[in-house]
Amino acid sequence: MAIECLILGAGQEVGKSCVVVTINGRRIMFDCGMHMGYLDHRRYPDFSLISESGDFNGSLACIIITHFHLDHIGALPYFTEVCGYNGPIYMTYPTKALAPLMLEDYRKVMVDRRGEEEQFSSDHIGKCMNKVIAVDLKQTIQVDEDLQIRAYYAGHVLGAAMFYAKVRDAALVYTGDYNMTPDRHLGAAQIERLQLDLVITESTYATTYRESKYIREREFLKAVHNCVGGGGKVLIPTFALGRAQELCMLLDDYWERMNLKVPIYFSAGLTVQANMYYKILINWTSQKVKDTYTTRNAFDFRNVCSFDRSLINAPGPCVLFATPGMISGGFSLEVFKQWAPCGGNLVMLPGYCVAGTIGHKLMSAKVPAKINIDRDTQIDVRCQIHQLSFSPHTDAKGIMDLIKFLSPKHVILVHGEKPKMAILREKIQFELGIQCYDPANNETLCISSTMYIKASASDAFLQSSLCPNFTFLKLNSGLDSDLGDSNTRMEPMLRVCDDRVAQGLLTLQKNQNPRVVNQNELMTTLEVKTHEIKFAHCCPVCFAHSETTDMDSSHSPLNKSSFLLHLLYVKLSREFSELSIQDCHHHIQIKSFIISLCSKEQCSHRTTVGPGALDAPYFCCTWFLEDEKIAWKVISFMKNLDLSHS
Amino acid sequence: MEQHLLSGSPKSAVVALSLITNPFTSHQTLSSLLDVLILNLQDQKFDHPNKILSLLAAISHQRPQLSSRIVSAVQKFFFVPSVPIPSFPCALSLLLNTDHSNTIGSGPFYDESLFLSLCFWPCVKTRRWVAKNVGAFLGVRPSVLLTVLLGITKDPYPCVREAALDGLVSLSNRVAVDDKSLTECCYFRATELLFDAQKSVRRSAVRAVCEWGQLLVALNEEKCKRDWSDAVFLQICLMARDMDMNIRVSAFDALGKIQMVSEDLLMQCLSRKALESTKEKNYPGHYTVKLLRIPASAAAFTFVHGLQDEFHEVRRSACCALQMLMAFSSEFTGEAVHVLMDILNDDSLVVRLQALETLHHISLCGQLKVEESHLHMFFGSLMDGSPMIRSASRKAIQSIKLPKLKMFRLCIDALVKNLELYPLDEADVFSVLYKIGRIHGKYVASIVQEVFQELEPSFDGNLGFHNTRTAVLLVLAISAPVSFDREICSIPPQVFSYAVTMLGRISSSLVDLFDQNTLLNYLSHCSKFTAVSASEFFKGELLDSQPKNSNIHLGKMSDWIFNGCSDNLIGLKKFTTPFQHHSNSVDAATSYTQVIFQQVRDLWPMIQLGYMNEVILTLRNWKHELKRLNNDVHQSTAILVFSMNYLSVIKLYGKTWAHYLSLGNLQFNGMGILEALLQKTERRLEEILCRFLGLSREEELHILELTLVTYTLRLSSGATCCFNACMNELKSVISRVERLHRERSIELSDFIIELQNALCEIDNSEDDATDRLYLFQKSLYLFSPKHIVLSGEIKYMSADVNIFDNSFENPIPFVTGLPVGVSLEITLYNISSEARLWLTIALTEKSTQFIFLDFHEFEGCNEVRKFPFVAPFYRTPKVKYFSIKISVAIECLSEVQRLRHKNGPKHEVVQLCEEKEVHLSLA
């Protein structure tokens, strides 16, 4: 069977995450985001690729939303209410709580401020949210009889989750956005070792290796402190949820320690409300917040007050958190316009800005610079620009670590920039030996998946499996090479193997289920007989005359044969003292090698008729393949027996 | 009954168990139960050996005395042919849990075939048990144990794999394996299990990899040891990114145990990208389940990840590991310091503490190179809210070497701030200041030069003791002459004399380096030199930094001071420091008190000058020291108590004197306090005279002289309203003194002679009060305390009163108006038979009832006498509840009769013990 991945968004780009995966006939849509950089049709994924007829309900088993960022959820109301999808939607509890706020905020900005055409209404958002089924971490949800999903903690933002989905034997993990290092307010992603065919991971920082968070924190605090120390104003445009809280926790602690009195403002509305959600959803935050919760809620900031529009131009230093993050509009843009021309002020840019936003322009700008806000407005930027290296996304090391930990059979990279993704792809394939892909938007990818076959086991096999049955394999490298040698030996000389499973045999008979049987049962199961290959050789043995003459006169033929055998036995045991040779009266046995006196005149196994062969007794030898070496050794000895005595 | 118990019904076992666990079951019953159980155990037909074994285990737990029988029975059980193998673990654990010392050399744990059959038994539980308790199989050959355990690591059951790995770990310490291929096999098998799906298995695997890796390293030839050790290190590094917190903790714990790592690899652990030096290197081991080659770059950022982990347990463990690994490379240490400095911003106290400890460790090795960027964080921890952090950070700071004056200044500022915010840290801060001052002599000199003005007393003559900064600078300044810098340090000598004013504070903080005398000598010596000569003489060597050697060096220095410069140091006498004495001598207390008594004399001028704070501080230190001695030596208690009392008298004198001086001529101002102080002093002196037996005449005279001083003080201050009464008392003491003088012809002090003259003069003249005052004052100025030498053995009289079963909740019943008896137990120490003892029962301050204690009828010697006593209390008041205070007092027979108790003592009484409160309530 195969897993089919249709990349509707975030293929070789950041924005409008949307991947539709078909596993064993079940179609799941992971994320349903919008692109913040576009205002035309490109802002939504091309849903028509899912179903040309528009019958989304029939073709999709469910939608899974990883977190509430607009590039992961922005298109959801449009898809459900405008395109008409009515199936189940899964997201975590915090996401369900916070998503409507984000969507509503975005709708307001778009419609009320920019006067754009409405893509979806508040009503749509409400109806859409009604279809959502909230899930908890590590809770296994049986979507239908085959499809199982489970959420794992992803860090990133409040309520962000990675999703594990399994249909019959094929399983995959869709990471969404995640963070492998904890920050002040959220923990690191956490997942367990799973049997996976595929991991679809974000790759925002495909080639970045980030410094320790302590250095980031130190630099941030230094920059802010220097600015307010000089009487400047600090604008920190952030998303309402996430960075704002983390930075605020950091500042709050620092303010407390340094005894600073400069006011820290939160722009009204969303951010204040968001803090409330954080306070409620303590369980989704970092270990530290959880630990201290009993004594004090870390989100009860001691130095933070809410902001009033009239304070924009109030004298004196201050720190202001304002939305939206990339100065793409809204309040942060308004404040930016006012504060940017003053050299003493500071703008803290978030670590990542989507192309097309003011933030993106500022990142590459050299102060002083002139920035075009829109077609008519140009702003003279004189303030300092400091780029935050805080980011809720994992870096290349984190991605590698996660993939190494999960060790899936295949990896698909999404949510990143094309050239960087290619580098990471190569790295994964080279270092970890895992097949990796970085498909573009609207591409479909097919990868093979696991399929397990159910087989019944015989009782004997089960019995034999109960006890340990290990053997040690010695590697035949011959050389006891050490690390210093040029051809370094990477494997141990001795290895332990448990043969329990290896000793089972999978049998597949017509019209029957596959069955595992023990080696010993195989014959009876298959109702066949054992065939053995037996070798035979008949050769004369010349005894010395002195030895045979005593016998000639006094013994009957029967005695004669046993005497000869005994004679041979004595000689053989003298020669091959290391072998266990048994004299069984009628024959001599060495393992499977049997020597008996040949009484037939025309034995079919005779090959040689040598000189003096006529009066010499013939001995017939038989053996199995495994004792071939011994056999030929003994035979050659027997043949040359007389020579040794002459 | 016991026979019924095991009749087979499931209830019977429960009944038996309840019999066993009941502590009141008789020994006989248990013993016969045991007989039955043992009989059944040997019975081949019985098919529940596990049940019996668990009962036996319970018995052996409850009654250890029966365990030997149980053990021998269980040992026989192994030879019963029909025993099912699954019962063995049960029996074996029973043996394990009881003392089986008698089975050494034989028994089931020496049976190889038993071990093997248990291992290959189809039951998972059995295998797990064997793997877990593999250490108990003492008699099985190590190679067999290892081979089997190694095989079991392949078990499909995670719990068995885990137990097998744990077993391997426990074997690694106990068996000597010299088979390299087997060791290698164990190691690689463990590395394979690092990728197990089960957390618990991975966790055990981390430990196993660490232990067996080190065995493997040890078995390799010298030249490849390092490479193998690197391989093990790298392998464990991979686990530092596991998703499970406990595994990460174990991984860092394991990293800390590695004995040898190359520098490249260590540096890679702190770098986020692959370093040039490690780029192409590969090591054997499991990179993933399939890949058997670990690139060295896999170690990248291991420690940084660990240090920024979400869980403080991991961060702490990573910190510890860093500390251990720093021994291998100084370059690594330098880099790690950068990281550690940032950790000081961590939100967890435990982690910050560990980071500081690690920094301290580095600084002890002299590897701590502090940069300016660190200072903010590093010195910031001095202001931390937690005293533990502050203390740890001071510990780390005290041995660092700062490269720049600017940094040193910041350090001093931080310490000042620390002291300002947390005055309780003073002793520790001073000690740190002294220590870093010694390291940075040059900087100290230049700082002191700059701020010398600040140190000068203001023109009203006051030194700013209260000013933290001044204190800090003074301590810093006195450290300079003993600096390690050979350069001449020029600290103005005045500074040292200023520092003397803080002698007590400084010496208590530098107690691990000096004792007070040495410090005083040192300071007074330094203050007498010009700057240049001081440093020339000391050459930075005399006071060494090593505390353990400090006594020797200090000894040297003080020798030098006394011998070489005796001209300059007139007035300072040489005496041995107390510290040199009390290490092994029982007479420590005696000798120490002698030293103190001598010093008391030296203290007198300070008292006269009114430097009371210093005096009190010094006295407090001495008392503290005495208390410490008191814990050590029991024999010399009396001497110690005497000294303590003596010191408190001196303290009272000091206070009195201060008051006396402040009075000036305003005779009627603030009399109350002086009067109270005088009374208290008198009382104390009386107590000393009364309670100590065996005081020599000289000592008695000394005390009497002090008594005279109090009277004189009272008279000369005009503090008394009944002048004549006081005069009478004075005269009686004088006559006592004179008697002593006559008997033993002891020389009288100038003060007493003057006082005698004054008394004569007063008696002869009829002048007014002012004149008398003048006479007394005149004699007073002649007074200075003598050095008393405790000659003979003195004894201290004391008593103990015990009241049983009485508390506020549990009062003694009484009936109003009727006497009530209170049962006591009285213990008397060192009370001679001549003494007149009284039991005092006080209801209120005013009404005290005395009962004569005729203790002669009770047994015991003079040293200790212990007897019960029922004390009748007659005047029970008309209340529901009241409490009385009971004590034992001795009548001072030598005193003039003063008291007029009806049935009580005629003389002054002195209490021999603390008052004990007795609660009574209406019956």
Side-chain angles (χ1 to χ4, degrees), chain A residues 182 187-188 191 209 211-214 218 257 287-288 397 401 404 431 466 489-493 496, chain B residues 127 147 151 154 184 196 202 241 243 272 284 287 291-292 300-301 304 307-308 310 342 345-347:
Chain A
I191 195 163
Y209 290 82
E211 269 298 347
S212 139
K213 71 166 180 181
Y214 291 106
R218 196 180 60 203
R257 206 169 57 223
Q287 196 59 37
K288 181 230 162 186
K397 179 88 170 55
D401 283 336
K404 198 166 95 53
E431 268 189 25
L466 283 175
R489 180 168 55 79
M490 292 294 177
E491 282 175 75
M493 294 275 289
V496 60
Chain B
R127 275 205 298 281
T147 324
K154 276 279 184 185
E184 203 182 86
D196 201 278
R202 293 207 296 273
R241 285 295 265 164
M243 288 286 176
R272 60 203 162 113
Y287 187 43
L291 297 176
L292 286 168
F301 236 33
V304 183
L307 290 173
Q308 61 184 11
E310 186 178 351
D342 283 331
N345 194 20
D346 197 274
D347 44 46

Side-chain angles (χ1 to χ4, degrees), chain B residues 536-603:
Chain B
E536 271 176 355
F537 274 111
F538 284 108
K539 286 182 185 146
E541 277 174 3
L542 279 165
L543 289 175
D544 199 85
S545 64
Q546 302 306 316
K548 49 184 170 185
N549 299 334
S550 67
N551 270 344
I552 304 165
H553 284 280
L554 290 172
K556 261 193 210 164
M557 191 201 71
S558 45
D559 279 351
W560 171 80
I561 289 176
F562 295 122
N563 301 332
C565 312
S566 50
D567 295 344
N568 296 330
L569 298 165
I570 301 160
L572 273 179
K573 278 188 183 172
K574 183 181 179 181
F575 54 85
T576 50
T577 56
F579 288 93
Q580 283 163 346
H581 262 287
H582 63 69
S583 53
N584 49 9
S585 148
V586 182
D587 299 332
T590 325
S591 57
Y592 189 55
T593 45
Q594 293 304 345
V595 173
I596 287 180
F597 290 154
Q598 185 169 23
Q599 300 218 359
V600 166
R601 208 186 50 181
D602 303 337
L603 217 56

Side-chain angles (χ1 to χ4, degrees), chain A residues 453-469:
Chain A
I453 295 165
K454 260 194 196 150
S456 56
S458 74
D459 288 345
F461 176 70
L462 284 180
Q463 269 303 317
S464 74
S465 297
L466 283 175
C467 303
N469 183 10

Side-chain angles (χ1 to χ4, degrees), chain A residues 260-273:
Chain A
L260 292 176
K261 295 286 174 235
V262 177
I264 303 175
Y265 294 118
F266 253 30
S267 75
L270 187 54
T271 328
V272 176
Q273 206 171 358

Side-chain angles (χ1 to χ4, degrees), chain B residues 787-902:
Chain B
H787 174 205
I788 57 165
V789 183
L790 284 182
S791 47
E793 215 175 89
I794 55 167
K795 282 178 180 172
Y796 177 59
M797 292 194 270
S798 65
D800 233 349
V801 177
N802 264 327
I803 299 129
F804 300 109
D805 273 353
N806 184 272
S807 65
F808 182 74
E809 288 91 5
N810 186 20
I812 296 172
F814 75 97
V815 178
T816 309
L818 292 181
V820 62
V822 182
S823 324
L824 311 169
E825 189 192 58
I826 299 173
T827 320
L828 303 174
Y829 300 94
N830 299 321
I831 310 269
S832 67
S833 43
E834 301 97 61
R836 282 171 64 82
L837 290 191
W838 296 88
L839 197 69
T840 63
I841 305 179
L843 181 58
T844 59
E845 294 281 306
K846 292 275 169 66
S847 96
T848 306
Q849 179 197 319
F850 289 91
I851 299 162
F852 185 70
L853 263 184
D854 192 8
F855 58 90
H856 303 101
E857 60 193 69
F858 298 108
E859 281 182 14
C861 56
N862 284 351
E863 276 72 41
V864 186
R865 213 187 284 267
K866 194 170 185 178
F867 54 91
F869 190 80
V870 180
F873 180 69
Y874 299 105
R875 282 165 288 172
T876 43
K878 281 186 184 172
V879 288
K880 276 188 180 169
Y881 168 88
F882 71 101
S883 68
I884 50 177
K885 283 176 181 167
I886 298 186
S887 168
V888 176
I890 188 167
E891 195 174 341
C892 302
L893 294 174
S894 58
E895 269 287 326
V896 275
Q897 288 193 10
R898 266 198 280 179
L899 300 174
R900 303 269 182 275
H901 292 292
K902 204 174 174 189

Side-chain angles (χ1 to χ4, degrees), chain A residues 223-232 234 260 262 317:
Chain A
V224 172
H225 195 173
N226 283 347
C227 177
V228 294
V234 184
L260 292 176
V262 177

Side-chain angles (χ1 to χ4, degrees), chain A residues 507-526:
Chain A
T507 58
L508 198 62
Q509 280 173 291
K510 259 189 190 168
N511 307 326
Q512 271 183 28
N513 280 334
R515 193 172 145 81
V516 183
V517 294
N518 199 352
Q519 274 179 345
N520 305 337
E521 303 177 279
L522 188 66
M523 295 303 141
T524 48
T525 316
L526 298 178

